Amino acid sequence: MSLQTSSRLFALLGHLQARATATGPELAALLGVGERTVRKDVERLRELGYPVEAVRGAAGGYRFGDHGRLPPLLLEADEAVAVAVGLGSVSAVRGIEEAGALALAKLQHVLPDRLWRRVRALTESTDVGPADTGTNVEAPAVDVVLLADLATAIRDREGLRLFHRPGGGGGEEERLECDPYRLVSWQQRWYVVVRQRPDGRWRALRADWVELRTPGAGHFSPAPLEGGDYAAFVLRDVAFSGWNVHCRIAVDAPAEEVLRRINPTVGVVEEVDADHCVLVTGADSVETVAVWIGMLGLDFHVAEPPELVAHLRTLATRYAAAVPAG
């Protein structure tokens, strides 16, 4: 058997494992060969002991028999979820989205059903925000068990009772009851979009600021977010409340000019008049805010917060001293 044939057989086996049923024309297109070659390769796989079954009928084709599944992959629950988190994150990386989705589909065939249900709850409950938003942030630790518990609550329509500690403990602790609707992964952070009880207010809570309380708050009847774009809601909400530092930056330029220079997901631009606007944004530190507003290439004015004003003054002095006078 040639190396080319061996590589094609591995590819064919992968496609069969990732799909419930695949037709001959579909497999031929995926492999770049004719249907006759697909039939021969299927026979080769059978000779090697792989139970590829033929499915008759209008929706017929080939499938990988259940009795031919690989032995269960021996992972702990948190390890299985961690693998799913890693594979899911590639959906935000241009060029390898399909590879990540195929790998996740193959994972199903080697996980025990109990673990696969937990992994599937996470993947089906998660949206991913845009990958490039112009900021560099240090990612907090990911609690995969918490993410899996949140995903399960979303899937099962189970209300949550939780502690919410803004800033990771630096803010005032809240005790909340809420209905979870979606997980959103963005900027190496995880958020859970919830509807707060009893007022029905929508909120995006950073997962690393949440501690679940038991028991939960009982089942709820879903009333989804209008429009259903939970990732966009998180991006808007974070611009106002999700960072450690929040600021309003007056910019001497039209709103559309500011939007052309930044990714709009890092903040909200409010028009003042034809030549001025306000950028509402934030970050985890004044240093981060100072760096990227300086990269706007536009005149701006900052009055608060005091820490940002002080840092900009320090930078102004430092930059002025760095160049020759005159």
Side-chain angles (χ1 to χ4, degrees), residues 16-251:
L16 289 171
Q17 287 183 303
R19 292 165 172 79
T21 302
T23 67
E26 287 174 341
L27 293 171
L30 289 168
L31 297 171
V33 298
E35 293 184 51
R36 182 179 179 184
T37 301
V38 170
R39 290 194 294 270
K40 289 183 177 180
D41 286 349
V42 167
E43 288 303 320
R44 289 191 180 97
L45 287 177
R46 288 170 176 164
E47 291 171 1
L48 292 171
Y50 293 100
V52 181
E53 300 174 349
V55 181
R56 300 184 182 278
Y62 301 99
R63 68 184 177 196
F64 198 61
D66 286 342
H67 58 291
R69 292 178 62 185
L70 297 174
L73 185 62
L74 299 179
L75 294 176
E76 298 295 333
D78 57 344
E79 294 172 337
V81 174
V83 171
V85 168
L87 290 174
S89 67
V90 305
S91 64
V93 180
R94 186 176 301 173
I96 59 174
E97 305 97 327
E98 184 178 355
L102 285 173
L104 192 60
K106 292 176 183 178
L107 186 64
Q108 175 182 2
H109 294 278
V110 292
L111 281 181
D113 289 341
R114 174 184 61 85
L115 289 186
W116 175 245
R117 286 195 299 271
R118 194 163 172 83
V119 167
R120 186 174 62 185
L122 178 65
T123 58
E124 292 179 350
S125 301
T126 299
D127 293 336
V128 179
D132 182 11
T133 54
T135 59
N136 295 313
V137 293
E138 182 179 353
V142 176
D143 185 341
V144 293
V145 175
L146 172 64
L147 294 182
D149 289 342
L150 291 171
T152 300
I154 292 169
R155 180 195 63 192
D156 297 341
R157 304 299 186 193
E158 183 73 34
L160 302 175
R161 297 170 65 244
L162 56 85
F163 295 110
H164 178 238
R165 301 182 177 93
E172 184 176 349
E173 180 180 273
E174 300 176 277
R175 292 192 178 197
L176 303 177
E177 286 193 8
C178 49
D179 302 333
Y181 280 83
R182 202 72 181 162
L183 285 168
V184 175
S185 173
W186 176 56
Q187 290 282 29
Q188 302 183 68
R189 287 167 167 75
W190 286 80
Y191 301 85
V192 57
V193 180
V194 302
R195 197 162 195 170
Q196 186 171 287
R197 299 182 185 180
D199 58 8
R201 172 190 170 196
W202 286 100
R203 298 183 64 179
L205 308 178
R206 266 181 53 171
D208 56 307
W209 295 352
V210 163
E211 178 185 344
L212 295 183
R213 302 162 58 199
T214 55
H219 291 281
F220 64 92
S221 298
L225 178 71
E226 184 177 356
D229 195 339
Y230 293 95
F233 173 79
V234 167
L235 271 50
R236 291 194 304 270
D237 191 74
V238 166
F240 289 102
S241 62
W243 302 113
N244 291 334
V245 177
H246 304 95
C247 54
R248 294 174 61 86
I249 302 164
V251 185

Side-chain angles (χ1 to χ4, degrees), residues 260-272:
R260 278 196 295 268
R261 294 172 182 245
I262 68 166
N263 188 309
T265 58
V266 303
V268 176
V269 179
E270 301 174 352
E271 184 176 6
V272 175

